[in-house]
Every structure is written in structure tokens, then in C-alpha cells.
Amino acid sequence: MVEMTGNAPTSEKAEKHAGSEHHHGVSFGEAFRVWLRIAALSFGGPAGQIAVMHRIIVDEKRWIGEHRFLHALNYCMLLPGPEAQQLAIYIGWLMHRTLGGLVAGILFVLPGFLSILGLSYIYAAYGNVAIIAGLFFGLKAAVLAVVVQAVIRIGGRALRNKVMIAIAATAFVAIFFLHVPFPLIVLSAGIVGYFGGRFELAAFRTGGGHGAGGGPVLSDADSALGEDIPAHARPNLPWSLRMSAILLALWLIPVVALYAALGADSVFTEISLFFSKMAVVTFGGAYAVLAYVAQEAVQHFGWLRPGEMLDGLGMAETTPGPLIMVVQFVGFMGAYRDPGSLDPMLAATLAAILTTWVTFVPCFLWIFLGAPFIENLRGNVALAGAMSAITAAVVGVILNLAIWFGLHTLFAEVAVIRLGGLWLDTPVLQSAVPAAMALSIAAAIAIFRFRASVIATLLSCAAVGMLWTLAMN
């Protein structure tokens, strides 16, 4: 790989193609169709989405090589927000400049946005109808098994030594018993990991990222893009600052305008501020932040009831796009219940658009600001150590999420016990829901024993939930 510097690459191949806009031979129209196809197939969380992207872009289309794909993925793993969408933005930008990145990133979330918006309409309008209630009852039970699977999968990758296990345990105690804010947990873990990596401690050399799968490895030199750096991808500080200023304005001007026009107590202002903050601290994927979002949405803002977060996660799991799209449902229901002078459905629709906007616009900012300088991150042991520690802390946070979701799925009532500075959610045993327990066990057996796909498991449990609810009414 040629070094990323302010000068053009010196290889003959680079000189030959420097003046060509798309020397790789992939037209923008073809790329548009490919990104639309990837968006439609982006089920199964970040691991599944990245696997689909790798299969199509590296194995099938051979746009970029394995090394470049993984290097871009590792950079995205260091950023807040959904790494799969950011990887799409990065590769889209690499292939077709700024417009390519914008199109790839927008298409990646558009099918999921439209799907969840439609399901939210149904949920708000008919959520109390038996068949709809049964559908989401079944989804809740299945999602619990999916979250447990996420704990095991990420834990197996991240907790490779006693130090990482201790970081995960500390994070769990901090958020489950002490209710320490999630951003503070991420920041603390990152600082510990940064210095652990800087001092080259062995425990912090665990790395991160998702495997791209087996099979023959496509070298960068044999890919359509080649092994050299395109002219537009070389570091260009004026371009990065200009794009960053535009995206920062697109992100924050609506937030400031809402605050000025509606005041701090408006549900739209609360949504814009809260999810803007989430966009900055969502390291480690959707599961890592969902516990914090769920607790704040239920206990602080009152946007959702406890079980409804699972309903939203079920929607996000069964529709294409990043799992963090569940926040769209949170914003939708928050404004639906507090519409002010607007029609509830109109307010909810505007809130869903607002939530999606402040959640995903920052993703473009992170990529366009840092991607041209990505080579400067390669081999940085301090940053690698920070990522390892954050990923370990995320395991503890996801475990908290699994327990919190489990309590509110398997029991109709949950009590909060306070012991000094500790807060403990405990189930009311008499309120156990046997049908939910049976469905969760069945979903776990399907996923862990028979390796059933997440989509098939969720749809099956949703169907059983509908039939059970209809039989009981």
C-alpha cells in the first residue's frame, strides 16, 4: 500500500489513472444498483451486514481487495455510530467521491427507515388489537434470545484475557447496580485502553473488528480499484474542513432552531438533543447503547413503556438496515404521546425523521473528516488498545441490556430495590409470564442448537405469538 501523503503516488499505475475520474471502470449507475441491493439485504445486525457487503463488493464485484476492506472496517470500528453504514459511506466515497459516499450511506438506511415507519404506524394505531399485540409479544421473546447471542458472540471476541474480563465486569456493575451513564463508561474504558496500548501492555493487544469470512483472498492489486490511492482520497485538509463544516451545520442547525423556537421542554427539542448526544457516544454498535436509550426513554422522558423497547428492537431486527434504527421508533412514540398542538401521527412522523436525521448525519461527518487521513491510524497501538477496552466494556453493557430486557419480557411486574447507592431491578415472581418464557427458550434452542437464522426465528416467534394471543381472546 502506498503511503497517504500530500503528494501523488509515484507508481506508474497511479500516474496513469490520476487524471481519470473513475479509472476502476465501475459506473455510478452500477454502484447505485449495488448499494440498493446491499441495503435490501442488510439484515442480521452489523456482523450480517458486513458479511453481505464483503460478499458482494469484495468476492462478487471485486471492487476493492481484502486488505483495503478490513483496513476501512477497522477505522469504522473506532468511530461512534453503526460501523456497517459507515463502511458503506467509506467505500462509496472511495469509489465515487463525495456523491458516492452520500448515496451509499443514504441507501443503507432508507429501506429500514421506511419499513420501521410503516410498522410504527400500525403499532400506534392498532397496538392494542389482539393480533398486533400477539405479533410483538412473540418478537419480544425472540429478541431476548438474540440479545443473549450478542453477549456471547461479542464476549467471545473481546474477553480474551483477565484484564478485559475485569473491564467488562466493572462496566456491568457500573451500569446495572450504580446506573453510571453509558457515555462515562465508554470514556473511562477508552482512557484505560489508550494508556494500556500506549505502554504496550500485552492485555490490550486483543484487536477488534468482524471477520470477513473465509475463502480465497482478493489482493488489493487484483481489485478494480487497485492497490494505489485514488487522487481524491489523498489527505486534503481544506476539503475535509469544508465538508465537515457543511455536515456539522446540517446536523446542529435544526437542533438549535428547535431549541430556540420551541424551548427546552418540547418533545422535539428533547429528541434532537438526546439523540445528537447518542450519535457521539454510540461506540460498539447498537446493542451497546440500547440499554442506556431504553432506560432514559422509559424512566426519564416517559416516551416508552418498559416492554415497548423490545417491540421496537423486534422491528429493527426484522427490517433491513442498522439496528440503531430502533431509535426512530423511540422518537416516533415519544412525539405520538406528546404531540403538542399537532396531529399525533404527524408529530410522530416528524419526530421519526428528526431522530433519524440527528442519528445518521454525524456518520457522514466522521467519515468525510477522517477517511483521507486513515493511513495515519494504521499501526497506532494506543488507539487499538482504546478500542479493545471499549469493546470489553460494551460486553458488560450488553449483559445489562439482556437482563433488563429479560426482566421486562418474562415478568409483568418488576420492582426496584435501593440498597444504599445500589439500584437493583428485581422481578415480581408472581407476575411471571409462562408463554413468554416458553417462546424465549424455543428461540434460544433454534438459534444456539439448530443455528437458525435470526430472521426466521423472529418471524416464527411472531407467528406463534399471534396465534397464542388469538387463542387466549
Side-chain angles (χ1 to χ4, degrees):
M1 178 69 72
V2 179
E3 291 287 338
M4 268 192 178
T5 65
N7 300 318
T10 57
S11 72
E12 293 181 3
K13 185 176 181 180
E15 290 176 355
K16 176 182 178 181
H17 297 308
S20 175
E21 184 177 5
H22 303 313
H23 66 264
H24 45 65
V26 180
S27 70
F28 186 83
E30 179 186 354
F32 184 93
R33 293 188 292 272
V34 168
W35 289 119
L36 193 59
R37 176 186 169 197
I38 290 173
L41 297 174
S42 60
F43 294 92
Q49 292 157 3
I50 290 168
V52 166
M53 211 179 308
H54 180 273
R55 175 172 58 84
I56 293 176
I57 289 177
V58 178
D59 295 338
E60 180 183 326
K61 297 297 181 179
R62 301 172 69 88
W63 285 0
I64 64 174
E66 182 84 11
H67 184 266
R68 194 190 290 271
F69 182 92
L70 292 178
H71 182 56
L73 175 58
N74 287 337
Y75 171 65
C76 295
M77 285 288 292
L78 291 171
L79 302 173
E83 63 264 37
Q85 190 229 7
Q86 290 167 339
L87 180 61
I89 297 170
Y90 183 93
I91 296 174
W93 163 79
L94 197 61
M95 297 293 293
H96 293 97
R97 303 175 180 259
T98 306
L99 183 59
L102 291 172
V103 167
I106 292 171
L107 288 180
F108 197 86
V109 300
L110 187 59
F113 170 80
L114 296 175
S115 300
I116 293 177
L117 186 62
L119 290 173
S120 299
Y121 286 143
I122 297 173
Y123 186 89
Y126 306 108
N128 292 326
V129 176
I131 191 169
I132 300 298
L135 182 148
F136 286 105
F137 173 81
L139 284 178
K140 289 178 189 178
V143 166
L144 179 58
V146 173
V147 175
V148 172
Q149 182 191 40
V151 175
I152 295 173
R153 185 181 66 244
I154 298 176
R157 186 180 71 236
L159 309 184
R160 300 180 182 178
N161 56 61
K162 293 180 180 179
V163 172
M164 294 300 153
I165 293 174
I167 291 174
T170 302
F172 172 76
V173 170
I175 197 168
F176 187 80
F177 292 104
L178 302 176
H179 288 201
V180 175
F182 172 72
L184 183 58
I185 294 174
V186 168
L187 178 62
S188 301
I191 291 173
V192 171
Y194 177 85
F195 285 103
R198 187 171 183 179
F199 291 115
E200 300 185 357
L201 301 180
F204 294 90
R205 298 175 187 167
T206 56
H210 302 272
V217 174
L218 175 66
S219 69
D220 292 341
D222 292 332
S223 67
L225 190 62
E227 62 182 346
D228 298 302
I229 301 167
H232 71 273
R234 295 195 298 271
N236 185 330
L237 186 58
W239 178 86
S240 293
L241 293 178
R242 183 170 63 253
M243 286 301 303
S244 299
I246 293 171
L247 290 166
L248 197 62
L250 289 172
W251 172 20
L252 296 182
I253 286 178
V255 178
V256 175
L258 286 169
Y259 187 92
L262 303 178
D265 295 331
S266 167
V267 66
F268 293 101
T269 303
E270 291 177 339
I271 286 171
S272 65
L273 289 172
F274 179 72
F275 289 111
S276 290
K277 180 173 67 174
M278 288 301 94
V280 178
V281 300
T282 49
F283 294 93
Y287 284 117
V289 76
L290 285 184
Y292 179 66
V293 171
Q295 288 169 348
E296 290 293 298
V298 173
Q299 298 172 7
H300 180 70
F301 294 106
W303 294 334
L304 298 179
R305 301 183 183 99
E308 290 179 337
M309 190 66 182
L310 280 172
D311 296 338
L313 186 57
M315 293 181 192
E317 286 279 8
T318 51
T319 54
L323 294 181
I324 198 65
M325 291 296 295
V326 67
V327 300
Q328 172 192 336
F329 171 76
V330 176
F332 181 98
M333 293 305 299
Y336 180 79
R337 291 187 170 129
D338 184 17
S341 60
L342 298 176
D343 174 79
M345 281 297 186
L346 175 59
T349 303
L350 294 175
I353 296 172
L354 174 63
T355 305
T356 305
W357 183 267
V358 299
T359 298
F360 289 101
V361 168
C363 295
F364 294 91
L365 171 61
W366 312 142
I367 295 298
F368 290 146
L369 176 62
F373 306 94
I374 186 174
E375 289 299 318
N376 294 332
L377 295 176
R378 178 175 293 180
N380 189 310
V381 294
L383 287 177
M387 188 60 206
S388 297
I390 289 173
T391 306
V394 161
V395 176
V397 174
I398 298 176
L399 178 59
N400 164 73
L401 170 68
I403 295 175
W404 192 88
F405 276 178
L407 290 175
H408 289 93
T409 300
L410 306 179
F411 298 90
E413 298 180 31
V414 176
V416 178
I417 298 177
R418 185 169 183 176
L419 300 173
L422 301 179
W423 299 66
L424 181 62
D425 291 340
T426 56
V428 178
L429 298 181
Q430 295 85 346
S431 69
V433 184
M437 294 181 177
L439 265 180
S440 292
I441 292 172
I445 292 173
I447 289 175
F448 291 104
R449 175 66 179 84
F450 295 103
R451 307 295 182 185
S453 71
V454 170
I455 298 298
T457 303
L458 289 169
L459 293 178
S460 299
C461 286
V464 172
M466 287 190 290
L467 293 174
W468 181 84
T469 303
L470 289 174
M472 295 297 293
N473 288 284

